[in-house]
Amino acid sequence: ETVMTQSPATVSVSPGERGTLSCRASQSVSSNLAWYQQKPGQAPRLLIYGASTRATGIPARFSGSGSGTEFTLTISSLQSEDFAVYYCQQYNNWPPAFGQGTKVEIK
Amino acid sequence: EVQLVESGGDLVKPGGSLRLSCAGSGFIFSNAWIIWVRQAPGKGLEWVGRIKSRPDGETTDYAAPVKGRFAISRDDSKNTVYLQMNSLKIEDTAVYYCATGLYQCGGDCYSGWGQGTLVTVSS
């Protein structure tokens, strides 16, 4: 089973600043990595798949990179609506698995 | 627009059973892989299981914690997928989401989500 580890657990960022979130897999997942955003009381929303492809309707300030075991989600200039919890998910190895999440809070 | 609506969440005693429904619209439901993901209160996301489309064999797969207790089925005439949960445990308490698999991810990343339904297992 592939274990996904996200860091940090919480990151404090000022509006307009860059936010960088990390995700590490316990074994290679190639580029089969997705990122989701979840706001309180809402369902998750797919942001990125294939490690770097933005899902439909996702703003260009969200970008993903990495392959193998190390991945990064970057939010270039944080907007008020971006403060949320972010999850990575691998879908290369069975079973699919989510990381524990990184909370992006207002500094 | 893809819409998924879960229903059936309730308070149930340990050892009890519950059936959740996931009704879809705005897409070709019969071609969709449907996944169940749960989220315990204040915790992260946990993959529960999935059912493939009939053209893909209507195969079901389950996470280890629920295998043998949960069963997923579908009725494409009603655009609905079901999650039958038996022998419920306290640790099954969670919001249960259904979601659609994205073709570009081989069905294993999830682009459409319902709003979730709460299952509480407590005596």
Side-chain angles (χ1 to χ4, degrees):
Chain A
E1 182 171 324
T2 304
V3 176
M4 307 302 292
T5 303
Q6 293 185 240
S7 60
T10 303
V11 61
S12 299
V13 186
S14 298
E17 288 189 344
R18 174 187 296 256
T20 303
L21 288 62
S22 296
C23 175
R24 173 177 292 178
S26 61
Q27 60 185 294
S28 177
V29 299
S30 186
S31 294
N32 295 314
L33 190 286
W35 289 94
Y36 300 84
Q37 177 193 67
Q38 187 179 33
K39 298 178 182 179
Q42 296 185 17
R45 177 174 72 143
L46 178 66
L47 299 175
I48 301 283
Y49 62 91
S52 61
T53 302
R54 279 188 300 277
T56 302
I58 301 303
R61 64 180 181 271
F62 291 93
S63 62
S65 62
S67 66
T69 62
E70 301 284 343
F71 300 89
T72 301
L73 175 70
T74 301
I75 312 170
S76 60
S77 176
L78 270 145
Q79 307 298 302
S80 58
E81 62 267 30
D82 300 335
F83 293 95
V85 179
Y86 292 82
Y87 295 93
C88 62
Q89 178 231 335
Q90 71 83 18
Y91 52 94
N92 190 71
N93 306 321
W94 193 258
F98 293 92
Q100 81 281 15
T102 290
K103 181 179 181 180
V104 177
E105 64 176 25
I106 301 174
K107 188 173 183 179
Chain B
E1 180 190 359
V2 171
Q3 285 202 326
L4 293 168
V5 178
E6 303 93 338
S7 60
D10 205 347
L11 170 64
V12 61
K13 289 181 167 50
S17 297
L18 201 61
R19 189 178 81 161
L20 306 183
S21 299
C22 170
S25 61
F27 61 101
I28 303 173
F29 191 86
S30 58
N31 287 346
W33 294 15
I34 302 295
I35 294 86
W36 289 94
V37 172
R38 68 185 179 183
Q39 187 169 37
K43 303 297 184 182
L45 303 171
E46 181 184 16
W47 189 90
V48 172
R50 74 169 177 202
I51 186 164
K52 296 183 179 180
S53 64
R54 177 170 287 189
D56 290 322
E58 216 166 302
T59 308
T60 54
D61 296 286
Y62 302 95
V66 308
K67 195 169 186 178
R69 299 189 298 122
F70 289 13
I72 302 173
S73 61
R74 64 190 301 154
D75 184 343
D76 290 336
S77 69
K78 296 181 179 179
N79 281 8
T80 300
V81 163
Y82 303 99
L83 177 63
Q84 177 68 44
M85 304 185 294
N86 300 326
S87 302
L88 282 160
K89 305 176 180 180
I90 290 175
E91 53 264 37
D92 294 320
T93 294
V95 173
Y96 285 73
Y97 296 100
C98 63
T100 55
L102 184 67
Y103 173 80
Q104 291 90 328
C105 301
D108 283 324
C109 71
Y110 316 122
S111 55
W113 292 73
Q115 84 289 352
T117 188
L118 177 62
V119 173
T120 303
V121 184
S122 174
S123 54

